[in-house]
Amino acid sequence: MNLLDWLPITKKETDLRGWNEVDIVIITGDAYVDHPAFGAAVIGRVLESHGYKVALIPQPNWRDDLRDFKKFGKPRLFFGISAGAMDSMVNHYTANKRLRSNDAYTPGGEAGFRPDYATITYSNILKKLYPDTPVIIGGIEASLRRVTHYDYWADELRPTIMLDSKADLGVYGMGELAIVEIAKALDENKKIEEITNVPQTFFLRTRQGTSIQSGWNDLRLASHEECLKDKKTYASNFKNVEIESNKKHANRLLQDVGNHTLYINPPYPTMTEAQIDASFDLPYTRLPHPKYAKRGVIPAYEMIRHSVNIHRGCFGGCAFCTISAHQGKFVASRSKKSIMREVKQVVEMEDFKGYISDLGGPSANMYRMKGKDESLCEKCVRPTCIQPNICKNLDTNHHPLIELYKEVDKMPQVKKATIGSGIRYDLFLTNEDPSGKLGYDEYFEQLMKRHVSGRLKVAPEHSSDEVLKLMRKPSFNLFVKLKKKFDKVNEKFHLNQQLIPYFISSHPACTLTDMAELAVKTKDLGYRLEQVQDFTPTPMTLATEIYYSGYDPYTLKPVFVAKTKQEKLDQQRFFFWYKPENRQYVKNALRKIGKAAWIERLFKANS
């Protein structure tokens, strides 16, 4: 490979191509990895496939004379901006708001190569340097801050990111279709302010101007100022945003903010197989740019370098997760042919040793799942297809996934393909499948025999039914059922696998008593927990809106939330009840909450 195999990130590389001008410049807060798991690479390659000259500026220095922002000059069409694969504030800070010492999307894992609120910072710089050039923001940070949102790090409600960024246009969700339509419109000499009817875009207009006409029905949200005045109004607002984000035929959303109106156009229909294949089949090198060779490995790339994403979207709708808010509720699955083509690329990589680290997606076992009668999905407003119960119209057939696993297993170069992304065990445990028509038992046995490398990680998240209901997760009893099934399969095939559960503390509705119950129940199952985390509020999730407002947006009933540092620390201690430094606290806390009888259950074998 040579430099021409990557999208250019230096002037030298555009000169090698003989370019006198660049059509589009994309700025990203991540290092440039030319891989379909990295958004800037995807958008760049998609635009390139439509004939545009695209250059990237990864992790520009925003603290010097801004030479990075100037190196390609003014692009012919527009600047595109993404903060990276994570919201920059989630990337920078822990749940306790402590500055992280590393960045998984930077060579050597070094921190400090992107600013806080990166989208806003980059956009403001470009607007000063090139005031007449359109700036289009996208990626997860812009996507999930498109409307009035709670910012945990500033501890305040913030308006749409369009206001602070001064960008001309925003793209939310997975942006391939929208960005091409925008590029074509600008290429046809349309002005950026005339581009108002592209799906999955959002923009501001002054309220005094003429209303923007469209073929969509409009739903007006409570204004930003009304949200600031009343938390219940804000919570109610979120319900409308979430419902419209997950409908087949959504309304256009309008929200007043100051003397502006925010317009959020409905999303595109779920990508067809041909559309998603086209995105994944582009000529990615699957490697970091050679410029980083001496700076150390990029940790996020190391995790996925030998993995393959088989679908997008998630109908789980977990209250604390941003996936459905960004990728959508409806699953878009790649063809087996496209997936196998990428698997072949992986096995031909020089450093491939026979092990594929993941064949998965947002939830590994949702491949090809959709409504049996999609006309019913056209009318559906549920934010999740599987909670509080699995929709009777949902096709939960696991055979397409089993066939895919077997196809990969046939490849002589593949010693083992493990499933690194999480599975939704409620999809194959909630209902019975005695005939094997849906492949539930076959799937789980195939998974354990061939695709688990010592440890199967799952996410029950909690043991309290009340907390789990709010989380949109199944009852803990289903995890107990999973563990029994797991142990039986282990015994049946003489395996030595471990089942590793993930849990969250301080989630809305979670009390100290709930955490004590979690400690007792997991101890009874033989666990000393390892994979745990403290709830971190991130923009545009149900749990975050409850955390800020104190209300469930769907019922408008008050919900308890652990907010203080001490409350959160006390809940976390119950994860690690077995550690000597926590034992006395846990015993005292159990007495205080009237659960002294649980002391013996926890410590009888550890006294």
Side-chain angles (χ1 to χ4, degrees), residues 67 104 138 155 184 206 225 310 336 352 357 418 509 588 591 604:
R67 68 187 68 181
D155 191 23
K184 286 180 177 177
T206 55
E225 288 71 25
I310 63 176
K336 188 196 289 187
F352 183 70
S357 59
T418 54
N588 291 342
R591 293 187 187 101
K604 62 184 177 182

Side-chain angles (χ1 to χ4, degrees), residues 311-531:
H311 71 267
R312 285 182 187 165
C314 179
F315 48 72
C318 295
F320 47 84
C321 182
T322 61
I323 291 170
S324 64
H326 186 64
Q327 294 192 10
K329 177 177 78 172
F330 299 99
V331 171
S333 298
R334 298 170 64 186
S335 68
K336 188 196 289 187
K337 186 177 179 182
S338 173
I339 293 166
M340 294 308 298
R341 192 157 43 235
E342 188 175 355
V343 170
K344 188 171 184 294
Q345 273 187 286
V346 172
V347 302
E348 289 174 353
M349 292 174 71
E350 286 183 10
D351 63 345
F352 183 70
K353 302 290 192 261
Y355 299 95
I356 292 175
S357 59
D358 190 24
L359 282 172
S363 287
N365 58 322
M366 289 185 182
Y367 181 65
R368 292 210 173 281
M369 292 187 184
K370 59 183 180 179
K372 298 169 193 171
D373 179 354
E374 292 197 69
S375 69
L376 297 178
C377 300
E378 304 276 331
K379 307 166 192 169
C380 180
V381 297
R382 282 176 58 168
T384 163
C385 303
I386 51 181
Q387 289 300 322
N389 50 57
I390 293 182
C391 177
K392 291 179 181 178
N393 189 46
L394 180 66
D395 182 359
T396 56
N397 186 359
H398 280 64
H399 283 296
L401 195 53
I402 295 167
E403 290 166 14
L404 178 63
Y405 288 174
K406 288 180 176 177
E407 190 77 18
V408 174
D409 264 359
K410 287 179 189 174
M411 296 188 71
Q413 305 98 318
V414 177
K415 296 176 184 175
K416 195 180 193 79
T418 54
I419 309 306
S421 41
I423 62 166
R424 287 294 303 225
Y425 52 84
D426 42 349
L427 286 172
F428 58 82
L429 285 184
T430 301
N431 299 320
E432 298 300 320
D433 180 32
S435 67
K437 183 180 178 183
L438 299 172
Y440 292 167
D441 287 344
E442 185 182 352
Y443 168 76
F444 193 59
E445 290 187 0
Q446 169 81 2
L447 180 75
M448 283 193 63
K449 284 192 297 180
R450 292 289 308 146
H451 307 293
V452 175
S453 187
R455 307 175 117 201
L456 175 63
K457 297 175 183 178
V458 293
E461 306 294 11
H462 217 286
S463 62
S464 160
D465 281 342
E466 185 178 348
V467 177
L468 288 166
K469 183 180 178 183
L470 199 66
M471 285 180 165
R472 297 175 178 159
K473 295 287 288 187
S475 168
F476 188 70
N477 291 335
L478 206 63
F479 172 72
V480 176
K481 183 177 178 180
L482 175 73
K483 189 173 187 311
K484 288 177 181 175
K485 192 176 186 70
F486 182 90
D487 291 342
K488 281 183 180 177
V489 175
N490 246 343
E491 185 178 352
K492 179 179 177 180
F493 296 104
H494 308 290
L495 304 171
N496 187 29
Q497 313 281 23
Q498 288 180 290
L499 185 65
I500 307 297
Y502 282 66
F503 292 95
I504 295 177
S505 60
S506 304
H507 190 277
C510 179
T511 65
L512 206 59
T513 303
D514 294 324
M515 290 302 297
E517 180 187 53
L518 189 155
V520 169
K521 284 187 173 181
T522 53
K523 196 265 181 175
D524 286 348
L525 290 172
Y527 284 105
R528 290 193 173 196
L529 300 181
E530 306 170 27
Q531 304 292 342

Side-chain angles (χ1 to χ4, degrees), residues 164-385:
D164 291 331
S165 69
K166 303 180 178 64
D168 298 284
L169 191 61
V171 176
Y172 67 91
M174 309 303 276
E176 295 104 314
L177 301 179
I179 204 67
V180 169
E181 195 168 338
I182 294 164
K184 286 180 177 177
L186 290 170
D187 207 11
E188 292 166 0
N189 294 319
K190 273 194 176 181
K191 295 179 180 177
I192 190 72
E193 58 269 21
E194 295 174 332
I195 303 174
T196 59
N197 285 319
V198 175
Q200 229 160 290
T201 60
F202 57 107
F203 52 90
L204 284 175
R205 292 292 183 270
T206 55
R207 288 168 66 180
Q208 289 75 25
T210 309
S211 62
I212 308 295
Q213 299 302 309
S214 76
W216 298 301
N217 294 322
D218 289 342
L219 176 64
R220 189 168 284 276
L221 303 172
S223 71
H224 176 66
E225 288 71 25
E226 288 172 316
C227 291
L228 287 172
K229 288 177 186 174
D230 184 62
K231 290 185 174 182
K232 192 176 279 192
T233 298
Y234 173 66
S236 184
N237 226 30
F238 174 79
K239 175 185 173 183
N240 289 323
V241 173
E242 184 177 51
I243 287 174
E244 295 302 325
S245 297
N246 289 306
K247 282 165 66 174
K248 284 272 190 181
H249 303 288
N251 294 305
R252 183 175 67 167
L253 299 177
L254 276 65
Q255 183 188 36
D256 290 338
V257 48
N259 65 346
H260 291 84
T261 297
L262 169 70
Y263 293 81
I264 305 177
N265 291 343
Y268 280 92
T270 307
M271 270 187 161
T272 63
E273 181 179 275
Q275 286 173 326
I276 193 169
D277 280 359
S279 180
F280 278 90
D281 291 347
L282 294 168
Y284 305 98
T285 64
R286 296 186 59 88
L287 297 167
H289 191 278
K291 184 180 178 182
Y292 306 127
K294 295 179 181 178
R295 288 181 54 190
V297 300
I298 299 170
Y301 169 67
E302 291 301 302
M303 286 181 65
I304 55 88
R305 67 188 304 159
H306 297 142
S307 70
V308 176
N309 193 345
I310 63 176
H311 71 267
R312 285 182 187 165
C314 179
F315 48 72
C318 295
F320 47 84
C321 182
T322 61
I323 291 170
S324 64
H326 186 64
Q327 294 192 10
K329 177 177 78 172
F330 299 99
V331 171
S333 298
R334 298 170 64 186
S335 68
K336 188 196 289 187
K337 186 177 179 182
S338 173
I339 293 166
M340 294 308 298
R341 192 157 43 235
E342 188 175 355
V343 170
K344 188 171 184 294
Q345 273 187 286
V346 172
V347 302
E348 289 174 353
M349 292 174 71
E350 286 183 10
D351 63 345
F352 183 70
K353 302 290 192 261
Y355 299 95
I356 292 175
S357 59
D358 190 24
L359 282 172
S363 287
N365 58 322
M366 289 185 182
Y367 181 65
R368 292 210 173 281
M369 292 187 184
K370 59 183 180 179
K372 298 169 193 171
D373 179 354
E374 292 197 69
S375 69
L376 297 178
C377 300
E378 304 276 331
K379 307 166 192 169
C380 180
V381 297
R382 282 176 58 168
T384 163
C385 303

Side-chain angles (χ1 to χ4, degrees), residues 6-9 14 17 19 21-26 40-41 43-49 51-56 72:
W6 280 262
L7 294 168
I9 67 172
T14 56
R17 287 167 168 78
W19 295 357
E21 182 182 44
V22 172
D23 294 328
I24 297 156
V25 174
I26 296 172
I43 296 300
R45 288 296 189 184
V46 166
L47 288 166
E48 178 190 55
S49 73
Y52 296 107
K53 297 173 182 175
V54 184
L56 301 186
F72 297 117

Side-chain angles (χ1 to χ4, degrees), residues 33-177:
V33 180
D34 194 43
H35 187 287
F38 288 76
V42 173
I43 296 300
R45 288 296 189 184
V46 166
L47 288 166
E48 178 190 55
S49 73
H50 285 267
Y52 296 107
K53 297 173 182 175
V54 184
L56 301 186
I57 304 177
Q59 300 188 317
N61 190 334
W62 72 100
R63 292 175 286 205
D64 62 5
D65 61 2
L66 307 180
R67 68 187 68 181
D68 285 344
F69 293 87
K70 303 172 187 173
K71 63 183 171 184
F72 297 117
K74 177 181 175 179
R76 185 173 67 88
L77 296 178
F78 66 87
F79 283 105
I81 292 174
S82 168
M86 295 172 68
D87 184 285
S88 58
M89 301 306 284
V90 178
N91 179 279
H92 282 173
Y93 299 96
T94 68
N96 292 322
K97 301 185 181 180
R98 291 177 181 167
L99 192 64
R100 298 185 193 274
S101 58
N102 52 52
D103 183 340
Y105 292 87
T106 301
E110 286 188 70
F113 280 82
R114 82 184 80 215
D116 286 356
Y117 305 108
T119 303
I120 292 171
T121 300
Y122 295 155
S123 184
N124 276 277
I125 288 170
L126 290 173
K127 276 298 169 190
K128 286 179 182 175
L129 293 175
Y130 304 98
D132 300 325
T133 303
V135 171
I136 300 168
I137 58 174
I140 199 159
E141 180 168 279
S143 180
L144 302 185
R145 294 174 180 267
R146 61 186 180 263
V147 69
T148 294
H149 58 280
Y150 173 66
D151 185 275
Y152 173 65
W153 300 273
D155 191 23
E156 65 182 14
L157 279 194
R158 298 183 68 138
T160 170
I161 194 170
M162 293 302 294
L163 198 66
D164 291 331
S165 69
K166 303 180 178 64
D168 298 284
L169 191 61
V171 176
Y172 67 91
M174 309 303 276
E176 295 104 314
L177 301 179

